[in-house]
Amino acid sequence: MDRHALLTNFINNHPEAIGKVVDFDHERDHLYQLDLTAANNELTAEVINNTPLFSSWVNSKLRDNNCRYGIGGYMEHRTIYAFSSHFDTDDEPRRLHLGVDIWGDAGTPIYTPLDGLVHSYQDNNNIGDYGPTIILQHDLDGLTLYSLYGHLSRKSLEGLLVGMPVFKDQQIATLGDINENGQWPPHLHFQLMFDMAGKQGDYPGVCKFSEKEIWQKNIPDPGLILRFPDAVNVE
């Protein structure tokens, strides 16, 4: 059985082991599906290249649709990364998003949905990068799974130690603002990996579209853990 199937089986057989990543009331709160692809004509270069304007656009979508968070991004082919040279390569630029983004207010509490330990952490302080990042390691009945939390506040890294235990539903961080999170509108980049390939405090969250099948083998859908309801709107 491959690792994707093992993860699905664990979640199905141990639903009580899965906690929350953000506070969310399934009966009252709503999600707004944000489209960050070229199909979204509202995301002009002017908006993308101006973080306060981009933030205002996100906030207006959530406010106008009575949604607590924006959501989306797993294996989404995005054009917004053109604003930063961080995503450029010598041949094909990186544009395929590997995690799920949860867009909300700076200071929003972030939790670990699984028992585990701190694998690594660091401030990836580049324009367009994760900013403060925490990576946790989990043992799911013998299956090793890593979870990554990017675009955090700098205070989220204070007091962390590699190997420190964490527990389901424990608050581990808060969302950072645009001055500390890689110059993005406040949001969480949440990503799962089976293998860290020796990396510490960082792992690619965007890849070349031509390499999609390769990355999918190591990066399962975070929706398996988030277990959110369907978003109420799509761009």
Side-chain angles (χ1 to χ4, degrees):
M1 187 179 296
D2 68 17
R3 292 180 293 184
H4 289 267
L6 288 171
L7 175 59
T8 300
N9 282 349
F10 178 86
I11 292 170
N12 290 338
N13 293 328
H14 302 281
E16 76 288 346
I18 313 300
K20 62 186 177 181
V21 175
V22 292
D23 290 311
F24 187 81
D25 185 331
H26 284 248
E27 295 183 358
R28 182 182 62 187
D29 295 331
H30 303 290
L31 301 166
Y32 191 85
Q33 184 78 37
L34 291 173
D35 178 1
L36 303 187
T37 71
N40 187 347
N41 295 324
E42 294 182 21
L43 283 180
T44 63
E46 178 186 8
V47 173
I48 294 170
N49 291 314
N50 184 321
T51 305
L53 192 59
F54 192 0
S55 294
S56 294
W57 179 83
V58 172
N59 291 336
S60 69
K61 292 299 181 185
L62 302 187
R63 181 184 64 249
D64 294 347
N65 292 277
N66 191 32
C67 290
R68 186 168 185 178
Y69 304 109
I71 190 73
Y74 179 61
M75 295 296 161
E76 182 176 63
H77 193 205
R78 295 176 167 179
T79 54
I80 60 172
Y81 298 120
F83 88 96
S84 172
S85 60
H86 178 66
F87 302 100
D88 293 340
T89 65
D90 291 336
D91 48 6
E92 176 190 353
R94 296 187 295 134
R95 296 289 184 266
L96 187 70
H97 190 252
L98 299 175
V100 164
D101 287 335
I102 304 174
W103 306 80
D105 296 331
T108 296
I110 305 300
Y111 305 87
T112 172
L114 298 160
D115 292 345
L117 53 84
V118 176
H119 172 270
S120 53
Y121 55 93
Q122 69 182 27
D123 188 353
N124 297 291
N125 188 20
N126 303 295
I127 295 176
D129 208 337
Y130 288 132
T133 308
I134 297 174
I135 299 173
L136 305 180
Q137 181 175 340
H138 315 279
D139 181 355
L140 310 182
D141 284 351
L143 173 67
T144 299
L145 182 73
Y146 301 90
S147 57
L148 181 150
Y149 310 79
H151 307 298
L152 306 175
S153 63
R154 290 205 170 99
K155 66 180 290 187
S156 301
L157 304 185
E158 296 176 2
L160 291 182
L161 294 172
V162 171
M164 175 187 295
V166 295
F167 303 97
K168 183 189 78 169
D169 292 334
Q170 175 184 335
Q171 182 179 340
I172 57 168
T174 55
L175 287 188
D177 61 33
I178 63 176
N179 297 310
E180 59 186 347
N181 74 351
Q183 298 187 25
W184 288 96
H187 73 286
L188 174 72
H189 178 98
F190 177 63
Q191 185 170 311
L192 304 175
M193 297 82 62
F194 294 120
D195 188 342
M196 283 294 296
K199 298 184 183 301
Q200 301 283 327
D202 192 13
Y203 191 89
V206 182
C207 73
K208 299 177 183 178
F209 184 78
S210 64
E211 298 176 349
K212 179 178 180 178
E213 292 186 7
I214 297 173
W215 289 93
Q216 275 185 310
K217 293 178 181 178
N218 190 48
I219 300 176
D221 184 353
L224 293 169
I225 296 293
L226 291 172
R227 301 185 296 179
F228 280 147
D230 291 338
V232 296
N233 282 298
V234 177
E235 283 294 328

